[in-house]
Amino acid sequence: MSKSCCQTPELNDIAHNNPRWRLILWIALIANAAMFVVEIVAGVAADSRALQADALDFLGDAANYAISLGVAGLALSWRAKAALMKAATMLAFGVWVIGYAIYGLVAGSNPEPQTMGVIGTLALVANVFVALLLFRYSEGDSNMRCVWICSRNDAIGNIAVLGAALGVFGTGQAWPDLLVAAIMAGLAIWGSVEVFGQAREELAHG
């Protein structure tokens, strides 16, 4: 059987015990926690569903990084179980955002594009920085891959938030903000499916 990232636990164990990996996780944890505070305040002030959804994504990622730190250095089976928990979190986030976007469509909203643009740019810079730090671990086990997917999705989501800001500014309507919130939900759900599948495979071969 050919080897893949799911079948090389000895290499992943070395990486998980690497101080550099732990340091990167701490940097990612602090950056995501800080951006959650910034975005949730700005999202409420700007009445932006996309910013609020991105803020909750930052919060979920901060929790995921904390879990990754907790299982770093443990056996592959434990890391796979942690990845399953994180996949469930990503799925729950996606479902919640879709529901919140539908609520905004029904109840109405009036997002403020200038704030969305400024905060979206700041969030993009933070996420690209973290994603670059994590890129070398993107082909690791399901736990490492989950961390990478979260960061990748965040950067894509931030670009979408900036697009939503331009859309709201150009049309004077809220639908671009709601559409981006739904896209972010789709990214979270798809990412959870990817991580769940790899984690199940690792547990089966563990």
Side-chain angles (χ1 to χ4, degrees):
M1 181 180 294
S2 62
K3 288 188 176 183
S4 70
C5 61
C6 298
Q7 299 165 315
T8 54
E10 68 281 359
L11 297 180
N12 292 325
D13 289 340
I14 293 173
H16 273 279
N17 284 303
N18 189 332
R20 175 183 171 84
W21 167 248
R22 294 174 182 268
L23 176 61
I24 289 174
L25 286 180
W26 274 112
I27 293 173
L29 171 60
I30 294 170
N32 277 264
M35 283 307 305
F36 161 70
V37 175
V38 171
E39 272 204 314
I40 196 65
V41 172
V44 171
D47 194 25
S48 169
R49 298 296 193 277
L51 278 182
Q52 292 175 48
D54 200 36
L56 289 175
D57 192 26
F58 272 118
L59 178 62
D61 287 348
N64 284 340
Y65 295 135
I67 293 173
S68 294
L69 280 167
V71 299
L74 297 182
L76 180 64
S77 61
W78 284 102
R79 298 199 303 266
K81 290 175 183 177
L84 287 176
M85 182 185 305
K86 290 187 287 184
T89 300
M90 293 166 68
L91 178 61
F93 164 75
V95 172
W96 182 90
V97 171
I98 288 177
Y100 197 44
I102 293 174
Y103 172 80
L105 182 64
V106 174
S109 62
N110 186 30
E112 205 280 302
Q114 285 77 18
T115 301
M116 291 175 63
V118 172
I119 301 302
T121 300
L122 178 61
L124 177 61
V125 171
N127 276 320
V128 168
F129 173 69
V130 171
L132 289 175
L133 291 177
L134 291 167
F135 180 74
R136 65 180 296 178
Y137 301 102
S138 61
E139 296 301 324
D141 62 27
S142 60
N143 190 59
M144 287 181 165
R145 184 164 176 75
C146 183
V147 171
W148 158 249
I149 287 175
C150 285
S151 299
R152 178 200 67 185
N153 287 355
D154 289 346
I156 296 173
N158 293 144
I159 294 174
V161 169
L162 293 177
L166 289 175
V168 171
F169 179 79
T171 65
Q173 299 180 27
W175 67 262
D177 181 63
L178 301 176
L179 176 62
V180 164
I183 292 173
M184 293 173 66
L187 283 172
I189 292 172
W190 178 252
S192 72
V193 171
E194 286 187 78
V195 174
F196 184 79
Q198 185 173 349
R200 286 293 299 272
E201 183 177 347
E202 289 173 1
L203 287 173
H205 289 85

